[in-house]
Amino acid sequence: MNKSITPTDLFLGILALLLISVSFYQTWLGLEQIFGPASFIIALVLSLLLLFLCWMLRNAKLEGKPTGSLVGIYIFIASFCFIANFNALYTRFMRTDIYTTELRNIDKSYTDLENNVESKLSYKYNKETTQNIEIKKKQLIEQIKDPGNLGIGTRAQSLIKDIEKLTGQKVDLLTPVGNDYEDLADRMGKQIDNIISDLSPDERSLKTDLDNAAVKWDKKIQDLLILPKKEQDEKSQALIDESLSEYNKLGNRAQTVLGKEKFEFQPLVSQTQEVGKIGFAFQHAIKNFGIYQFVVLAGCILLDFVIVIIILLVTDQKNNGNNGNGGSVFNNKRSGKTLIPNN
């Protein structure tokens, strides 16, 4: 058998080395959350086995030997790399999107909790009127705190008149203590709450805290979402944990104040702490399958399995290597015998 290295051997060798080197790095990252520092050794062993199997497959095809068992072993070992690669690549490309989606859901949950609790409170007016008063009240509070026009200016007075028309009652114009317009806005808001509701002190306190929390977390979340991607990834988990902790406390408090028969609260649990773990990557990809998930999936398949397909395609099974053409189906030439008749 000709032992010289052919162009096909060189091409396949370089291609296998490049693909499996990338696979090795991604496998190392993808297994790190399970095996820690040992993931480097495990990824290296798996990658060396894949390289060895590629060489074995090439030789078996050149010699016309069966390759089914070798392909089966390769697929078995490459499957471990594929799982780890998918975890590493999916986590890298989708981490920000996962955090962003979770934060937006939490922001919406605060608004839903606020509206749900308000719907269970007792008001003197019908639902539509109460909602309109609430909208005007929130606008008034923001207007009083507006740095460009602090206090009860023209716009604030206009809002107060709208509230008086809706309630049919007079709203007192309070004054700030010193320059504390935050306190003034809070006291004006409480005055309007007292006008429209028949709430107990606990219910008033709960409503105020819910309103403040919804505004606070909406601002914090929106501020984080405009940060660069790297900063978002670094800060998102802490913000998710903190916001969910307060959300669940307020929800449980609402259930206690209103009574379980009137309001039943289901705590929220975030799974973003699982980001980077193999199970979470596949679970999230299945639930949110789309173009990005497809691209990552296709990339991992090509990375781990395309080299075997190429070896099987470019290596001529019938060629035993004696003609020195490297066994490539692209190099095969027809050969035959010419019979010269006897004169």
Side-chain angles (χ1 to χ4, degrees):
M1 181 181 291
N2 188 359
K3 298 295 184 179
S4 62
I5 297 177
T6 66
T8 304
D9 292 327
L10 188 62
F11 167 75
L12 291 175
I14 294 174
L15 183 62
L17 191 61
L18 288 174
L19 290 173
I20 294 177
S21 294
V22 175
S23 177
F24 155 71
Y25 179 69
Q26 299 301 331
T27 301
W28 176 17
L29 297 180
L31 294 177
E32 205 164 22
Q33 54 95 7
I34 298 177
F35 299 105
S39 61
F40 174 83
I41 301 300
I42 295 172
L44 182 61
V45 170
L46 291 174
S47 299
L48 290 175
L49 284 172
L50 294 182
L51 281 173
F52 178 69
L53 286 167
C54 287
W55 178 75
M56 293 282 289
L57 275 168
R58 169 75 172 160
N59 281 346
K61 281 287 286 181
L62 286 173
E63 296 172 7
K65 295 180 180 178
T67 58
S69 59
L70 289 173
V71 171
I73 296 171
Y74 183 94
I75 292 174
F76 176 74
I77 295 174
S79 296
F80 291 97
C81 296
F82 167 79
I83 292 171
N85 288 338
F86 186 87
N87 178 47
L89 290 171
Y90 190 80
T91 299
R92 178 180 301 171
F93 288 111
M94 297 300 295
R95 181 187 294 272
T96 305
D97 183 70
I98 292 169
Y99 284 144
T100 298
T101 301
E102 184 74 6
L103 286 167
R104 285 178 176 151
N105 288 337
I106 292 173
D107 195 9
K108 182 178 181 298
S109 295
Y110 267 97
T111 302
D112 292 342
L113 178 62
E114 182 183 17
N115 294 335
N116 198 5
V117 169
E118 285 187 356
S119 69
K120 302 297 189 297
L121 298 175
S122 300
Y123 292 96
K124 298 175 183 177
Y125 306 91
N126 61 46
K127 185 177 181 180
E128 182 179 355
T129 301
T130 300
Q131 287 178 339
N132 289 333
I133 295 171
E134 280 292 327
I135 292 171
K136 296 290 184 182
K137 184 197 76 174
K138 290 179 180 178
Q139 291 175 344
L140 175 62
I141 290 173
E142 292 303 314
Q143 183 60 51
I144 293 172
K145 296 187 293 184
D146 182 11
N149 189 19
L150 286 170
I152 303 177
T154 304
R155 174 58 179 159
Q157 291 179 23
S158 175
L159 290 168
I160 290 172
K161 288 179 181 179
D162 291 340
I163 293 171
E164 289 177 338
K165 289 178 182 178
L166 290 169
T167 61
Q169 297 187 51
K170 180 69 176 176
V171 176
D172 295 329
L173 300 182
L174 305 179
T175 56
V177 178
N179 292 320
D180 193 350
Y181 290 97
E182 292 274 350
D183 173 68
L184 175 62
D186 183 57
R187 287 188 287 121
M188 288 296 294
K190 287 180 179 178
Q191 180 188 181
I192 295 168
D193 286 340
N194 291 336
I195 291 174
I196 67 174
S197 63
D198 294 320
L199 304 180
S200 68
D202 286 342
E203 288 175 329
R204 287 196 186 97
S205 176
L206 172 65
K207 185 177 182 304
T208 300
D209 290 345
L210 271 173
D211 291 345
N212 293 338
V215 172
K216 178 182 75 173
W217 288 112
D218 178 69
K219 185 178 186 308
K220 284 190 174 184
I221 289 171
Q222 297 308 320
D223 287 345
L224 184 135
L225 293 180
I226 63 175
L227 293 176
K229 182 177 177 179
K230 184 177 180 181
E231 287 188 57
Q232 284 190 45
D233 292 345
E234 292 173 351
K235 297 179 179 180
S236 288
Q237 189 59 61
L239 193 67
I240 288 170
D241 292 341
E242 188 180 353
S243 60
L244 276 184
S245 176
E246 184 169 351
Y247 173 85
N248 289 331
K249 287 178 182 177
L250 286 169
N252 287 322
R253 180 179 160 194
Q255 180 173 286
T256 301
V257 171
L258 299 175
K260 192 172 182 179
E261 67 285 349
K262 193 174 181 180
F263 177 81
E264 187 170 356
F265 175 71
Q266 295 295 332
L268 286 182
V269 178
S270 172
Q271 292 186 336
T272 53
Q273 290 181 343
E274 302 295 309
V275 172
K277 296 184 178 180
I278 290 174
F280 179 84
F282 280 93
Q283 182 183 17
H284 189 274
I286 292 171
K287 288 183 178 179
N288 303 275
F289 196 80
I291 185 64
Y292 295 109
Q293 286 76 10
F294 174 78
V295 169
V296 175
L297 179 65
C300 292
I301 292 174
L302 290 174
L303 187 63
D304 292 310
F305 299 105
V306 73
I307 185 61
V308 170
I309 297 172
I310 293 174
I311 289 174
L312 294 175
L313 286 177
V314 304
T315 305
D316 183 8
Q317 185 174 352
K318 295 179 181 179
N319 194 308
N320 61 9
N322 291 333
N323 62 4
N325 66 7
S328 171
V329 295
F330 302 116
N331 293 326
N332 287 338
K333 296 180 181 178
R334 278 189 168 184
S335 61
K337 295 180 180 180
T338 302
L339 298 177
I340 302 175
N342 293 325
N343 292 329

